[in-house]
Amino acid sequence: MRRSSDFCKASLYTSCLMGEEIHAQLTAFLSRRPIGRVHSIFENGINLAMEDALIFVGTTKNGRVPFGIHMGQESVSRLRFYVRCNDEVVARTPDMLQFCHPQYPVTLDLSRAASFHYEIRAYHYSSFLDLFHVDALVKTCLTWGVPTGLDVEWNRFLANDYRPDDRQYATIRHAEQLLDALLSDEVQAIAAPLRYFLGRGPGLTPSGDDFLIGLLAVHRLTGAFHPAFLTILRHILETEAITTDVSKAYLLHALHGRFSDKVTRVLNAMVMKNASYFQTRLLLLLQTGHSSGIDTVFGIANAIMALRRYKHVRTSCDCIGGQRHFAATPRSNL
């Protein structure tokens, strides 16, 4: 995209907003991709398309995201008033964004924004025995009771109660097929269930994609799944228009091990012995969005229960994608 010659010449007055938090990698990113546009506007913020990548500017209601610039609701409301979809955006410097509006140009100052970075601490995991809160995860999901965005009910799912003529059976079956393929090195069986979940469900981040975020987060912690999982998913996302731009951004960051702070803290809490801390973090994630948090936890729960179902044990010296030893047990025995 080329910078327009009349950028923000319509007014001599520019409103200035202050960014409060920014992901640690975004400043360098803006120096490489300084020109973009307003992609989408919604209640909690806006998305910017800087060439082929998105940046979120908004509140922390749904967590701090790996492509995020965050500030309070009042500042977000002002920003939403000043901008329109497809307005040009220019990073005049890596810590100053300018939004072009014919009447209300606005500057977002990032010079004082606090840098944040969250990572899943995979070095704390050496085997399934390091996941201290599996039973608490299952019990909390059962107690939570709210169906997933794909209408899977926790009690029926955990009791293995869905039958082939149930509408939700296809979701359960595809989840099992995907996890079986990822844990048994059946690489050729990965793509079909991946495509089933990608883009499935309404919203900016469809429920099926949030489910996959949960799987990717568990893989980031445990390294238990076949590496073809990442390769195949990346290829589909980069070559097919299969989901929303926003969801694609989340998934591409997840492929590099970057997740929201809410997801990251749940996975890190799994390998900490503090049960109350884990419970608090899990509830915060479950409460995220309309169903995004529930769908992500559904992915986390499916992945962890699959590890238990296969009695998969990975030691620190195992090679990812190497020899695995399985002893399958039904989900109802979890």
Side-chain angles (χ1 to χ4, degrees):
M1 180 185 298
R2 297 181 63 185
R3 185 179 307 178
S4 62
S5 59
D6 59 346
F7 180 81
C8 290
K9 288 183 179 179
S11 173
L12 296 176
Y13 301 97
T14 301
S15 294
C16 185
L17 300 174
M18 301 297 295
E20 297 174 11
E21 297 180 88
I22 183 171
H23 190 272
Q25 297 177 335
L26 273 187
T27 301
F29 173 84
L30 287 171
S31 67
R32 298 191 304 270
R33 302 185 185 185
I35 303 174
R37 62 180 178 85
V38 177
H39 175 277
S40 48
I41 303 172
F42 45 101
E43 182 179 357
N44 296 319
I46 68 174
N47 284 312
L48 310 179
M50 309 302 286
E51 297 183 15
D52 59 346
L54 291 188
I55 292 177
F56 172 71
V57 184
T59 70
T60 58
K61 180 180 179 181
N62 292 325
R64 294 166 178 84
V65 299
F67 51 103
I69 297 169
H70 297 293
M71 50 193 183
Q73 184 62 61
E74 182 179 350
S75 295
V76 170
S77 297
R78 288 181 61 196
L79 180 63
R80 291 174 66 247
F81 170 79
Y82 285 123
V83 303
R84 306 168 306 178
C85 283
N86 293 316
D87 278 354
E88 190 174 16
V89 183
V90 176
R92 293 295 188 184
T93 66
D95 57 8
M96 183 168 291
L97 286 171
Q98 289 191 339
F99 296 80
C100 178
H101 185 287
Q103 294 178 308
Y104 306 109
V106 60
T107 296
L108 179 58
D109 187 345
L110 306 173
S111 62
R112 298 182 183 179
S115 176
F116 68 87
H117 175 69
Y118 297 93
E119 64 178 16
I120 293 176
R121 296 191 287 268
Y123 52 85
H124 285 178
Y125 177 90
S126 60
S127 79
F128 185 83
L129 299 176
D130 293 324
L131 302 178
F132 296 113
H133 308 295
V134 177
D135 292 333
L137 171 68
V138 173
K139 182 178 179 181
T140 300
C141 291
L142 183 60
T143 304
W144 188 255
V146 180
T148 72
L150 297 176
D151 294 325
V152 174
E153 298 174 41
W154 288 101
N155 57 339
R156 296 187 65 190
F157 164 68
L158 293 170
N160 204 16
D161 188 37
Y162 281 109
R163 299 293 179 263
D165 56 343
D166 291 327
R167 183 166 54 88
Q168 296 82 6
Y169 180 80
T171 298
I172 303 300
R173 184 62 185 140
H174 279 90
E176 291 177 345
Q177 290 173 346
L178 177 57
L179 286 160
D180 287 346
L182 296 177
L183 287 167
S184 62
D185 295 349
E186 297 177 5
V187 175
Q188 70 282 359
I190 294 175
L194 270 182
R195 285 195 174 89
Y196 174 86
F197 286 105
L198 283 166
R200 183 167 295 273
L204 288 172
T205 58
S207 294
D209 295 0
D210 291 325
F211 169 82
L212 294 176
I213 291 287
L215 299 191
L216 288 164
V218 172
H219 177 64
R220 182 67 175 182
L221 177 67
T222 66
F225 300 151
H226 196 284
F229 179 31
L230 307 185
T231 304
I232 295 171
L233 179 54
R234 180 180 294 107
H235 177 75
I236 293 174
L237 291 171
E238 292 178 348
T239 60
E240 301 179 25
I242 198 169
T243 189
T244 66
D245 291 342
V246 176
S247 198
K248 178 180 176 181
Y250 275 102
L251 287 165
L252 288 174
H253 279 282
L255 286 171
H256 291 283
R258 298 188 291 266
F259 301 86
S260 75
D261 63 327
K262 289 189 176 184
V263 173
T264 300
R265 284 170 165 157
V266 167
L267 270 295
N268 287 339
M270 283 294 301
V271 291
M272 299 167 59
K273 293 185 178 181
N274 189 328
S276 62
Y277 178 79
F278 171 76
Q279 188 76 7
T280 298
R281 293 304 172 185
L282 180 60
L283 290 174
L284 287 172
L285 179 55
L286 283 167
Q287 295 166 5
T288 301
H290 179 66
S291 69
S292 287
I294 297 171
D295 296 322
T296 302
V297 173
F298 185 57
I300 293 170
N302 267 270
I304 289 177
M305 290 189 297
L307 297 184
R308 177 187 276 187
R309 186 166 70 245
Y310 278 86
K311 298 220 183 317
H312 175 77
V313 178
R314 168 179 168 266
T315 65
S316 58
C317 61
D318 282 341
C319 296
I320 296 177
Q323 186 66 34
R324 294 177 171 87
H325 303 281
F326 304 121
T329 57
R331 182 167 63 246
S332 57
N333 290 341
L334 295 175

